[in-house]
Amino acid sequence: MKTWNIISVITSSLIIVSAQNVCKLPAAQIPTEWRTMEDSCTEKMKKQIPIELGAAMTYMAMGAHFSRDTINRPGFAKMFFEAASEERGHAIKLIEYLLMRGDVFANLQSIIQEVPKPLNTTWTDGLDALNQALKLEAKVTNDINEIIKECEGSRKKNKLNDYHLVDYLTNEFLQEQYTGQRDLAGKASTLGKMIKNHGVLGEFLFDKKLLSGETLFH
């Protein structure tokens, strides 16, 4: 037992010494010519990260709201929890893109100072939540378009057009945004008609279709 304790102490000491040596290593001298993103584009991309996380938190709040036993709409809850994961994925994509283009995130705290709060925590019914989700997606789409306008060189003379970034945002984000907005608009329209014709039962039936994954709202 004593021998084992001595070995553990020695091992721990070596790990600590090794960690201290690593921390004291000088920063690697790497050429910076490959970092070609304009500062304004980099800043706008960084500002978009908490926007995506804020959308994720809002959808998470929606999912939790419809999961409550007094509301019990598992279809809505499932849809909004999936949307929350999707928005979180968008934030990760933005971080990965910035890292690929050479941003080292020396000060990550300036980007995510605190967890963004959801825009709301309660909704009157499913239709209200769908309409709020559509407004949220429209705002996110507008914010992405603002990044594209800034980085395609259309706002400033003699400014380089960041073709790769513009193409990336257009294909990876805008296509999904516009498709998602149309989907939400279709769902809201269908649910509104079902509520008008069947009242609360209409929302109940709509929720069952969401839970089963039926795609009847396009």
Side-chain angles (χ1 to χ4, degrees), residues 118-133:
L119 298 178
N120 206 345
T121 55
T122 59
W123 293 266
T124 55
D125 52 27
L127 184 57
D128 179 38
L130 287 175
N131 285 332
Q132 291 301 315

Side-chain angles (χ1 to χ4, degrees), residues 55-212:
M57 291 300 295
T58 297
Y59 283 130
M60 191 177 297
M62 286 181 172
H65 172 79
F66 287 100
S67 295
R68 294 166 57 190
D69 64 295
T70 54
I71 297 175
N72 195 33
R73 290 287 186 265
F76 280 96
K78 177 176 177 288
M79 179 184 68
F80 288 129
F81 278 137
E82 289 175 351
S85 297
E86 187 177 284
E87 297 301 328
R88 185 180 67 88
H90 290 170
I92 293 173
K93 280 186 175 182
L94 292 173
I95 293 173
E96 290 176 341
Y97 185 87
L98 286 168
L99 290 170
M100 181 187 70
R101 293 294 300 272
D103 194 282
V104 295
F105 284 91
N107 186 9
L108 187 60
Q109 187 176 3
S110 64
I111 301 171
I112 309 174
Q113 295 193 9
E114 59 182 30
V115 178
K117 296 180 180 179
L119 298 178
N120 206 345
T121 55
T122 59
W123 293 266
T124 55
D125 52 27
L127 184 57
D128 179 38
L130 287 175
N131 285 332
Q132 291 301 315
L134 182 55
K135 290 180 181 179
L136 174 60
E137 291 299 328
K139 181 184 181 304
V140 171
T141 300
N142 182 69
D143 291 333
I144 294 172
N145 273 316
E146 287 299 310
I147 300 175
I148 291 174
K149 291 176 183 178
E150 177 67 30
C151 302
E152 69 180 355
S154 60
R155 289 185 169 179
K156 296 181 181 179
K157 294 181 179 179
N158 301 321
K159 182 178 178 181
L160 293 176
N161 189 328
D162 198 326
Y163 297 104
H164 188 273
L165 174 57
V166 171
D167 183 68
Y168 176 77
L169 291 176
T170 301
N171 289 288
E172 289 290 326
F173 283 80
L174 283 187
Q175 179 64 34
E176 186 177 312
Q177 286 297 125
Y178 289 131
T179 301
Q181 288 174 188
R182 174 60 183 86
D183 181 65
L184 285 170
K187 283 182 169 66
S189 176
T190 300
L191 177 57
K193 294 172 184 176
M194 292 179 70
I195 291 175
K196 182 177 180 181
N197 293 327
H198 306 289
V200 178
L201 178 61
E203 182 178 288
F204 175 80
L205 295 173
F206 186 91
D207 182 77
K208 293 300 181 184
K209 292 182 180 293
L210 285 178
L211 189 61
S212 65

